[in-house]
Amino acid sequence: MNDAERFTIRQFGAEVRRVLVVAAHPDDLETACGGTVLLLIQQGVEVSLLLCTDGDIGTHDPNFTRATLAAARRQETLAAAQVIGLKEVIFLGHPDGELVADLTLRAEIAGAYRRLQSDTIFTFDPFWPGQAHPDHTAAGRAAVDAYMPSKMELYHPEQLVGGVKVADVKRFFFFGGSNREGEITIDISSVWPTKMAATRCHVSQFGQKEEALQWLADWNRETGRCCGLEYAEAFHPMHVW
Ligand SMILES: [Zn+2]
């Protein structure tokens, strides 16, 4: 890694071609890794999103029911996906606040790894004890748990039809930005306005008010402070063989 490559997406390696983001809630991608995803797509990398829940408890507004909120948040997710340029969004529709890394979720994620032939997975760090949201831990746990069986022909062979092959996942990057050791830091300053535009598509969460996303600006600024960057996102690599 030479100096010019520090803080750029080259840290992920040139062999990253097809990324799948395994997220728990509709705004997880934009907030946790939206800038990095934008930079990868600019370089010709295909990025898709697998969304475990519809975020259908995410409001204090009494005018929503779980069903109407889920529908609204799917539309917001698709609008944000357009701004970012995602290849595909997969909705699993599990209940928000109750996500469990069970065998059903593992098989669903494995099916996506196989069909999309993802080489790189972005997700929550299931091993981080500071994670307060159980859905985040469950999404990350299930994403890692799906890795090994998804490569084996005898695991859910019904998925291996119509030319679908066993999975070829080679690497995981966990969402970081909590100043832990071993993180790689990505300069997202050039795509910050687009990251904000995509995040604001989640109107049910953030409305259109600038101050509703101050926490995100503060977080990404804080992440960049170590390295003299205006805005940054960070990731923990997990090497798998
Ligand atoms: Zn979330």
Side-chain angles (χ1 to χ4, degrees):
M1 185 74 42
N2 62 40
D3 264 7
E5 291 177 337
R6 287 179 75 210
F7 315 127
T8 74
I9 58 166
R10 289 190 203 157
Q11 294 173 93
F12 292 114
E15 58 279 8
V16 173
R17 305 308 308 158
R18 286 179 299 279
V19 172
L20 182 64
V21 181
V22 179
H25 308 112
D27 51 14
D28 289 342
L29 181 149
E30 292 78 11
T31 54
C33 64
T36 301
V37 164
L38 280 160
L39 292 167
L40 287 165
I41 291 171
Q42 280 179 3
Q43 296 297 310
V45 176
E46 281 181 7
V47 184
S48 294
L49 166 63
L50 185 143
L51 198 50
C52 296
T53 84
D54 290 330
D56 53 312
I57 62 169
T59 190
H60 297 291
D61 180 346
N63 295 313
F64 277 117
T65 66
R66 287 189 74 143
T68 60
L69 181 60
R73 296 200 71 180
R74 284 196 180 201
Q75 287 309 310
E76 293 169 359
T77 299
L78 293 173
Q82 278 233 310
V83 171
I84 292 178
L86 297 182
K87 180 166 186 278
E88 184 175 334
V89 181
I90 303 164
F91 295 100
L92 296 184
H94 290 287
D96 187 7
E98 299 174 54
L99 191 66
V100 178
D102 60 11
L103 297 181
T104 301
L105 184 59
R106 183 187 301 177
E108 288 171 331
I109 295 173
Y113 291 173
R114 290 167 156 187
R115 187 170 60 75
L116 297 169
Q117 286 295 296
S118 315
D119 51 55
T120 304
I121 308 302
F122 286 4
T123 191
F124 291 96
D125 184 346
F127 312 111
W128 180 39
Q131 177 58 256
H133 201 315
D135 289 355
H136 292 173
T137 306
R141 177 81 253 176
V144 172
D145 288 348
Y147 162 76
M148 192 58 79
S150 67
K151 294 176 178 288
M152 312 308 290
E153 284 80 1
L154 294 176
Y155 176 75
H156 284 275
E158 76 282 1
Q159 295 176 346
L160 301 172
V161 294
V164 175
K165 298 185 172 65
V166 292
D168 194 26
V169 172
K170 295 190 174 73
R171 58 195 78 81
F172 284 80
F173 290 95
F174 298 135
F175 306 142
S178 48
N179 292 319
R180 283 175 294 154
E181 239 176 81
E183 287 190 342
I184 61 171
T185 302
I186 307 293
D187 181 1
I188 62 160
S189 306
S190 69
V191 293
W192 173 254
T194 316
K195 167 167 170 152
M196 279 292 95
T199 307
R200 279 196 211 96
C201 291
H202 295 279
V203 176
S204 68
Q205 304 304 295
F206 310 122
Q208 294 297 320
K209 292 188 191 136
E210 202 60 42
E211 60 268 28
L213 284 168
Q214 188 58 49
W215 64 271
L216 184 55
D218 291 345
W219 181 29
N220 285 174
R221 270 201 204 102
E222 179 62 26
T223 303
R225 212 152 57 101
C226 63
C227 317
L229 306 171
E230 194 177 4
Y231 294 103
E233 292 168 346
F235 299 84
H236 280 266
M238 183 180 100
H239 298 289
V240 287
W241 288 273

